[in-house]
Coordinates of all heavy atoms in Angstrom, one line a residue:
K1215 N 2.0 1.2 0.8 CA 2.8 2.4 0.9 C 3.4 2.7 -0.5 O 3.5 3.8 -0.9 CB 4.0 2.2 1.9 CG 3.6 2.3 3.3 CD 4.8 2.1 4.2 CE 4.4 2.3 5.7 NZ 5.6 2.1 6.6
L1242 N -2.0 45.0 -10.3 CA -3.0 45.9 -9.6 C -2.5 47.3 -9.7 O -1.3 47.6 -9.4 CB -3.1 45.5 -8.1 CG -4.1 46.3 -7.3 CD1 -5.5 46.2 -7.8 CD2 -4.0 45.9 -5.8
Y1262 N -14.2 67.4 -4.6 CA -14.5 66.0 -4.2 C -13.3 65.2 -4.2 O -12.2 65.6 -4.6 CB -15.5 65.4 -5.2 CG -15.0 65.1 -6.6 CD1 -14.4 63.8 -6.9 CD2 -14.9 66.0 -7.6 CE1 -13.9 63.5 -8.1 CE2 -14.4 65.8 -8.8 CZ -13.9 64.5 -9.1 OH -13.3 64.3 -10.3
A1264 N -11.9 61.0 -4.8 CA -12.3 59.7 -5.5 C -11.1 58.8 -5.5 O -9.9 59.2 -5.3 CB -12.8 60.0 -6.9
T1274 N -2.1 32.1 -19.0 CA -1.6 31.6 -20.2 C -1.3 30.1 -20.1 O -0.7 29.7 -19.1 CB -0.4 32.4 -20.7 OG1 0.7 32.3 -19.7 CG2 -0.7 33.8 -21.0
Y1320 N -11.5 38.8 -21.9 CA -11.4 38.2 -23.2 C -10.4 37.0 -23.2 O -9.6 36.9 -22.3 CB -11.0 39.2 -24.2 CG -9.6 39.8 -24.0 CD1 -8.5 39.2 -24.6 CD2 -9.3 40.9 -23.2 CE1 -7.2 39.7 -24.4 CE2 -8.1 41.4 -23.0 CZ -7.0 40.8 -23.6 OH -5.7 41.3 -23.5
A1327 N -1.9 25.7 -36.5 CA -1.6 25.3 -37.9 C -1.0 26.5 -38.7 O -0.4 26.2 -39.8 CB -2.9 24.8 -38.6
S1332 N -3.9 34.4 -34.8 CA -4.6 34.3 -33.5 C -6.0 34.8 -33.7 O -6.3 35.6 -34.5 CB -3.8 35.0 -32.4 OG -3.8 36.4 -32.6
S1354 N -11.9 39.4 -33.0 CA -10.9 39.8 -33.9 C -10.0 38.6 -34.4 O -9.9 37.6 -33.7 CB -9.9 40.9 -33.4 OG -9.1 40.3 -32.4
E1372 N -23.8 48.6 -29.9 CA -25.2 48.8 -29.5 C -26.1 47.6 -30.0 O -26.1 47.3 -31.2 CB -25.8 50.1 -30.1 CG -27.2 50.4 -29.7 CD -27.5 50.7 -28.3 OE1 -26.5 51.2 -27.6 OE2 -28.6 50.4 -27.8
V1388 N -10.4 47.2 -40.1 CA -9.2 46.5 -40.6 C -8.1 47.5 -40.3 O -8.1 48.7 -40.7 CB -9.3 46.2 -42.1 CG1 -8.0 45.6 -42.6 CG2 -10.5 45.3 -42.4
T1414 N -28.9 57.1 -31.0 CA -28.1 58.1 -31.8 C -26.9 58.6 -31.0 O -26.1 59.2 -31.6 CB -29.0 59.3 -32.1 OG1 -29.6 59.9 -30.9 CG2 -30.1 59.0 -33.0
G1444 N -4.5 61.0 -38.2 CA -5.5 61.6 -39.1 C -6.6 60.7 -39.4 O -6.4 59.5 -39.6
V1477 N 10.9 67.6 -25.4 CA 10.1 68.8 -25.8 C 9.3 68.4 -27.0 O 9.8 67.8 -28.0 CB 11.1 70.0 -26.2 CG1 10.2 71.2 -26.6 CG2 12.0 70.4 -25.0
L1549 N 6.6 70.2 -22.3 CA 8.0 69.8 -21.8 C 7.8 68.7 -20.7 O 7.1 68.9 -19.8 CB 8.7 71.0 -21.2 CG 10.0 70.8 -20.5 CD1 11.1 70.3 -21.5 CD2 10.5 72.1 -19.8
S1557 N 9.3 63.7 -11.4 CA 8.9 63.8 -12.8 C 8.0 65.0 -13.0 O 7.2 65.3 -12.2 CB 8.1 62.6 -13.3 OG 8.9 61.4 -13.3
A1568 N -13.5 75.5 -34.3 CA -13.3 75.4 -35.7 C -14.4 76.1 -36.5 O -14.1 76.8 -37.5 CB -13.3 73.9 -36.1
I1586 N 3.4 67.5 -11.4 CA 4.7 67.2 -10.7 C 4.5 66.0 -9.8 O 3.6 66.0 -9.0 CB 5.2 68.3 -9.9 CG1 5.4 69.6 -10.7 CG2 6.6 68.0 -9.2 CD1 5.8 70.8 -9.9

Side-chain angles (χ1 to χ4, degrees):
K1215 285 184 178 180
L1242 180 64
Y1262 69 93
T1274 58
Y1320 68 89
S1332 64
S1354 70
E1372 179 68 27
V1388 178
T1414 56
V1477 179
L1549 172 66
S1557 295
I1586 302 174

